[in-house]
Structure formats: C-alpha cells, structure tokens
Amino acid sequence: MIGLASDHAGFAYKEQIKRLLAEWKLPFRDFGTDSEASTDYPDWGHLAAQAISSGECTQAILVCGTGIGMSMIANKHKGVRAAVCESSTAAQLARKHNDANVLCIGQRLIGWDTALDIIETFLETVFEGERHQRRVTKIHSLTNL
Ligand code: RB5
C-alpha cells in the first residue's frame, strides 16, 4: 500500500499521482488534504508517516511546495526514511543506497514531467543492500526511530 499526502501547495500533484497509481494498478491510500485551501503540511505528512510506522503502508509519496517540510515531519516517525528528490538520479540513489521508503517532492520546484520521472524511478528501483544495509540499520539504531 502506498500512502499519499499533501498540503494545499502539493494538492494538484497528489491528485495526478492518484490517477497514475490507479492506472498502474498500485494500491494507495490518500491521507489528505482534500482541496487547495491553505493548510499545514505536518498534519497530513504525520498521518501518512504513521501508516509507515504501523506497517499499513510500505511506501509513501508526500507533496508540499518544496518537499522539505514533508520530509522533516516524516523523518520524525519510526521506521521512516524520507528523501526529498528533485531528480530521478536522486530518487534512484535514495532507493539503491538509502532504501528510502518515503518520497517527498516539491510541486513548486519541479515540473510534472520531472515529478513523473522521479516517481517511476522511486517505485521501480531496488535497494542494493550489502554495505548500505549496515548504514541504513544505523539510522534507526542510533536515533531509536
Ligand atoms: C506552504 O506555503 C509551503 O510552505 C509548504 O508547502 C512547504 O513548501 C513547506 O515545506
């Protein structure tokens, strides 16, 4: 299950991502927001990140103006490894090396074609494990998150 969340500044992309995932037949849950009315990104990012911690979702895609605020709230949750990506190369490495389970993108910073490329890469790329596994494990053991 892929969790989705956005604030007002990421709402349009979240709706496009929903159409994309439906087309790809990938199950998702939308944690909000539900309009372009001004709102606070932590409220929505928190709900999706909690779903990663609980195991309800294995991955999440969070959208705000920059992706930065969403990554900050998401990374305060147990088991979350959120990465802000502005290129498919970043998304590929976030998966290969960091086993990122949450993708954060900024609707105000990247065009839809780039966002699409990033999302496809994020969902398709497999974690490389080995030495990277040791490092990823430390992220959680050192922080208790
Ligand atoms: C909202 O104006 C904006 O600050 C928010 O979407 C996000 O970019 C924060 O990180």
Side-chain angles (χ1 to χ4, degrees):
M1 179 80 77
I2 300 173
L4 298 177
S6 78
D7 65 357
H8 55 290
F11 178 72
Y13 277 12
K14 175 169 68 64
E15 295 308 295
Q16 282 183 251
I17 294 166
K18 279 159 65 177
R19 284 192 281 277
L20 206 60
L21 297 181
E23 195 180 301
W24 294 341
K25 300 196 182 341
L26 294 175
F28 63 86
R29 178 170 170 195
D30 183 357
F31 289 90
T33 186
D34 62 1
S35 78
E36 286 184 332
S38 184
T39 187
D40 301 334
Y41 60 82
D43 293 338
W44 312 107
H46 170 62
L47 294 177
Q50 265 187 327
I52 296 282
S53 302
S54 73
E56 180 191 349
C57 292
T58 50
Q59 290 180 308
I61 303 173
L62 311 180
V63 194
C64 61
T66 59
I68 294 169
M70 281 296 196
S71 72
M72 288 181 172
I73 181 69
N75 276 318
K76 300 282 185 192
H77 292 73
K78 202 170 178 70
V80 168
R81 291 179 301 281
V84 190
C85 297
E86 290 182 28
S87 68
S88 59
T89 305
Q92 190 184 57
L93 290 169
R95 288 290 309 128
K96 278 187 175 177
H97 289 195
N98 311 110
D99 199 15
N101 51 11
V102 176
L103 170 65
C104 301
I105 54 179
Q107 186 180 304
R108 290 175 176 163
L109 300 184
I110 55 170
W112 173 247
D113 287 351
T114 303
L116 178 58
D117 197 15
I118 288 169
I119 292 162
E120 273 185 306
T121 303
F122 183 81
L123 295 177
E124 282 172 7
T125 307
V126 174
F127 179 48
E128 281 181 353
E130 298 182 3
R131 68 191 185 283
H132 301 298
Q133 182 61 65
R134 182 180 69 246
R135 295 161 186 169
V136 166
T137 300
K138 280 188 184 181
I139 292 173
H140 300 287
S141 62
L142 292 172
T143 62
N144 217 16
L145 283 174

Coordinates of all heavy atoms in Angstrom, one line a residue, residues 58-60 81 83 85 88-103 118-129 132-133 136:
T58 N 3.8 0.5 2.9 CA 5.2 0.1 2.8 C 6.0 1.3 2.2 O 7.2 1.4 2.4 CB 5.4 -1.1 1.9 OG1 4.6 -0.8 0.7 CG2 4.9 -2.3 2.5
Q59 N 5.2 2.2 1.5 CA 5.9 3.4 0.9 C 4.9 4.5 1.0 O 3.7 4.3 1.1 CB 6.2 3.1 -0.6 CG 7.4 2.1 -0.8 CD 7.7 1.9 -2.2 OE1 6.8 1.6 -3.0 NE2 8.9 2.0 -2.6
A60 N 5.4 5.7 0.8 CA 4.5 6.9 0.8 C 5.1 8.0 -0.2 O 6.4 8.0 -0.3 CB 4.3 7.5 2.2
R81 N 12.2 6.5 6.3 CA 13.4 7.1 5.7 C 12.9 7.9 4.5 O 12.6 7.3 3.4 CB 14.3 5.9 5.2 CG 15.0 5.2 6.4 CD 15.9 4.0 5.9 NE 15.1 3.1 5.1 CZ 14.3 2.1 5.5 NH1 14.2 2.0 6.8 NH2 13.7 1.3 4.7
A83 N 13.1 10.9 1.7 CA 14.1 11.6 0.9 C 13.3 12.7 0.0 O 12.4 12.3 -0.7 CB 14.8 10.7 0.0
C85 N 13.5 14.5 -3.3 CA 14.1 14.3 -4.6 C 13.7 15.3 -5.6 O 12.5 15.5 -5.8 CB 13.9 12.9 -5.1 SG 14.5 11.6 -4.0
S88 N 15.6 12.3 -11.0 CA 15.4 10.8 -11.0 C 16.7 10.2 -10.5 O 16.7 9.1 -9.9 CB 15.0 10.3 -12.3 OG 15.9 10.6 -13.3
T89 N 17.8 10.9 -10.7 CA 19.1 10.3 -10.1 C 19.0 10.3 -8.6 O 19.4 9.3 -8.0 CB 20.3 11.2 -10.6 OG1 20.3 11.3 -12.0 CG2 21.6 10.6 -10.2
A90 N 18.5 11.4 -8.0 CA 18.4 11.4 -6.6 C 17.4 10.3 -6.1 O 17.7 9.6 -5.1 CB 17.9 12.8 -6.1
A91 N 16.4 10.1 -6.8 CA 15.4 9.1 -6.5 C 16.0 7.7 -6.6 O 15.8 6.8 -5.7 CB 14.1 9.2 -7.4
Q92 N 16.8 7.5 -7.6 CA 17.4 6.2 -7.8 C 18.4 5.9 -6.7 O 18.4 4.8 -6.1 CB 18.2 6.2 -9.2 CG 18.7 4.8 -9.6 CD 19.4 4.9 -10.8 OE1 20.4 5.6 -10.9 NE2 19.0 4.2 -11.9
L93 N 19.2 6.9 -6.3 CA 20.2 6.7 -5.2 C 19.5 6.6 -3.9 O 20.0 5.8 -3.0 CB 21.2 7.8 -5.3 CG 22.2 7.7 -6.5 CD1 23.0 8.9 -6.6 CD2 23.0 6.4 -6.4
A94 N 18.4 7.3 -3.7 CA 17.7 7.2 -2.4 C 17.1 5.8 -2.2 O 17.1 5.3 -1.1 CB 16.5 8.2 -2.4
R95 N 16.8 5.1 -3.3 CA 16.3 3.7 -3.2 C 17.5 2.8 -3.1 O 17.6 2.0 -2.2 CB 15.5 3.4 -4.4 CG 14.1 4.0 -4.5 CD 13.2 3.4 -3.4 NE 13.2 2.0 -3.5 CZ 13.4 1.2 -2.4 NH1 13.6 1.7 -1.2 NH2 13.5 -0.1 -2.6
K96 N 18.5 2.9 -4.0 CA 19.6 2.0 -4.0 C 20.5 2.0 -2.8 O 20.9 1.0 -2.3 CB 20.6 2.3 -5.2 CG 20.1 1.8 -6.6 CD 21.2 2.1 -7.6 CE 20.8 1.4 -8.9 NZ 21.8 1.8 -10.0
H97 N 20.8 3.2 -2.3 CA 21.7 3.3 -1.2 C 21.0 3.5 0.2 O 21.5 3.1 1.2 CB 22.6 4.5 -1.4 CG 23.7 4.2 -2.5 ND1 24.8 5.0 -2.6 CD2 23.7 3.3 -3.4 CE1 25.5 4.6 -3.7 NE2 24.8 3.5 -4.2
N98 N 19.9 4.2 0.2 CA 19.2 4.6 1.5 C 18.0 3.8 1.8 O 17.4 4.0 2.8 CB 18.9 6.1 1.5 CG 20.1 6.9 1.1 OD1 20.1 7.5 0.0 ND2 21.1 7.0 1.9
D99 N 17.6 3.0 0.8 CA 16.3 2.2 1.0 C 15.2 3.2 1.4 O 14.4 2.8 2.3 CB 16.5 1.1 2.0 CG 15.4 0.0 1.8 OD1 14.7 0.0 0.8 OD2 15.2 -0.8 2.8
A100 N 15.1 4.4 0.8 CA 14.1 5.3 1.2 C 12.7 4.7 1.0 O 12.5 4.1 0.0 CB 14.3 6.6 0.3
N101 N 11.9 4.9 2.0 CA 10.5 4.4 1.8 C 9.5 5.5 1.7 O 8.3 5.2 1.5 CB 10.1 3.4 3.0 CG 10.4 4.0 4.4 OD1 10.7 5.2 4.5 ND2 10.3 3.2 5.4
V102 N 9.9 6.7 1.8 CA 9.0 7.9 1.6 C 9.7 8.8 0.6 O 10.8 9.3 0.8 CB 8.7 8.6 2.9 CG1 7.9 9.8 2.7 CG2 8.0 7.6 3.9
L103 N 9.0 9.2 -0.4 CA 9.4 10.1 -1.4 C 8.7 11.4 -1.2 O 7.5 11.5 -1.1 CB 9.1 9.6 -2.8 CG 9.3 10.6 -4.0 CD1 10.8 10.9 -4.2 CD2 8.7 10.0 -5.3
I118 N 10.6 11.0 -11.5 CA 11.1 10.7 -10.2 C 10.2 9.6 -9.5 O 10.7 8.6 -8.9 CB 11.0 12.0 -9.3 CG1 12.1 12.9 -9.7 CG2 11.1 11.7 -7.8 CD1 12.0 14.3 -9.2
I119 N 8.9 9.7 -9.7 CA 8.0 8.7 -9.1 C 8.2 7.3 -9.7 O 8.3 6.3 -8.9 CB 6.6 9.2 -9.2 CG1 6.3 10.4 -8.4 CG2 5.6 8.1 -8.8 CD1 5.1 11.2 -8.8
E120 N 8.3 7.3 -11.0 CA 8.6 6.0 -11.7 C 9.9 5.4 -11.2 O 9.9 4.2 -10.8 CB 8.7 6.2 -13.2 CG 7.3 6.1 -13.9 CD 7.5 6.2 -15.4 OE1 8.1 7.2 -15.8 OE2 6.9 5.4 -16.1
T121 N 10.9 6.2 -11.1 CA 12.2 5.7 -10.7 C 12.2 5.2 -9.2 O 12.7 4.1 -8.9 CB 13.3 6.8 -10.8 OG1 13.3 7.2 -12.2 CG2 14.7 6.3 -10.4
F122 N 11.5 6.0 -8.4 CA 11.4 5.6 -7.0 C 10.7 4.3 -6.8 O 11.2 3.4 -6.0 CB 10.7 6.7 -6.2 CG 10.6 6.5 -4.7 CD1 11.7 6.8 -3.9 CD2 9.5 6.0 -4.2 CE1 11.6 6.6 -2.5 CE2 9.4 5.8 -2.8 CZ 10.5 6.1 -2.0
L123 N 9.7 4.1 -7.5 CA 8.9 2.9 -7.3 C 9.5 1.6 -8.0 O 9.3 0.5 -7.6 CB 7.5 3.0 -7.9 CG 6.6 4.1 -7.2 CD1 5.2 4.3 -7.8 CD2 6.4 3.7 -5.7
E124 N 10.4 1.9 -9.0 CA 11.0 0.7 -9.7 C 12.3 0.3 -9.2 O 12.7 -0.9 -9.4 CB 11.2 1.1 -11.2 CG 9.9 1.1 -12.0 CD 10.2 1.7 -13.4 OE1 11.3 2.0 -13.8 OE2 9.2 1.8 -14.1
T125 N 13.0 1.2 -8.5 CA 14.4 0.9 -8.1 C 14.5 0.1 -6.9 O 13.8 0.4 -5.9 CB 15.2 2.2 -8.0 OG1 15.1 3.0 -9.2 CG2 16.7 1.9 -7.8
V126 N 15.4 -0.9 -6.9 CA 15.5 -1.8 -5.8 C 16.7 -1.5 -4.9 O 17.8 -1.0 -5.4 CB 15.7 -3.3 -6.3 CG1 16.0 -4.3 -5.2 CG2 14.4 -3.7 -7.1
F127 N 16.6 -1.6 -3.6 CA 17.7 -1.4 -2.6 C 18.8 -2.3 -2.9 O 18.6 -3.5 -3.1 CB 17.1 -1.5 -1.2 CG 18.1 -1.4 -0.1 CD1 19.0 -0.3 -0.1 CD2 18.2 -2.3 0.9 CE1 19.9 -0.1 1.0 CE2 19.1 -2.1 2.0 CZ 19.9 -1.0 2.0
E128 N 20.1 -1.8 -2.9 CA 21.2 -2.7 -3.1 C 21.7 -3.5 -2.0 O 22.4 -4.5 -2.1 CB 22.4 -1.8 -3.6 CG 22.3 -1.4 -5.1 CD 23.5 -0.5 -5.5 OE1 24.3 -0.1 -4.7 OE2 23.5 -0.2 -6.7
G129 N 21.3 -3.1 -0.8 CA 21.7 -3.9 0.4 C 23.2 -3.9 0.7 O 23.8 -2.8 0.5
H132 N 25.3 -0.9 2.4 CA 24.2 0.1 2.6 C 23.2 -0.4 3.7 O 22.7 0.5 4.4 CB 23.5 0.4 1.3 CG 24.4 0.9 0.2 ND1 25.1 2.0 0.3 CD2 24.7 0.3 -1.0 CE1 25.8 2.2 -0.8 NE2 25.6 1.2 -1.6
Q133 N 23.1 -1.7 3.8 CA 22.1 -2.2 4.8 C 22.7 -1.8 6.2 O 21.9 -1.4 7.1 CB 22.0 -3.7 4.7 CG 21.0 -4.3 5.7 CD 19.6 -3.7 5.6 OE1 19.0 -4.0 4.6 NE2 19.1 -3.0 6.6
V136 N 22.0 1.9 6.8 CA 20.5 2.1 7.0 C 20.1 1.7 8.4 O 19.3 2.4 9.0 CB 19.7 1.5 5.8 CG1 18.3 1.4 6.2 CG2 20.0 2.2 4.5

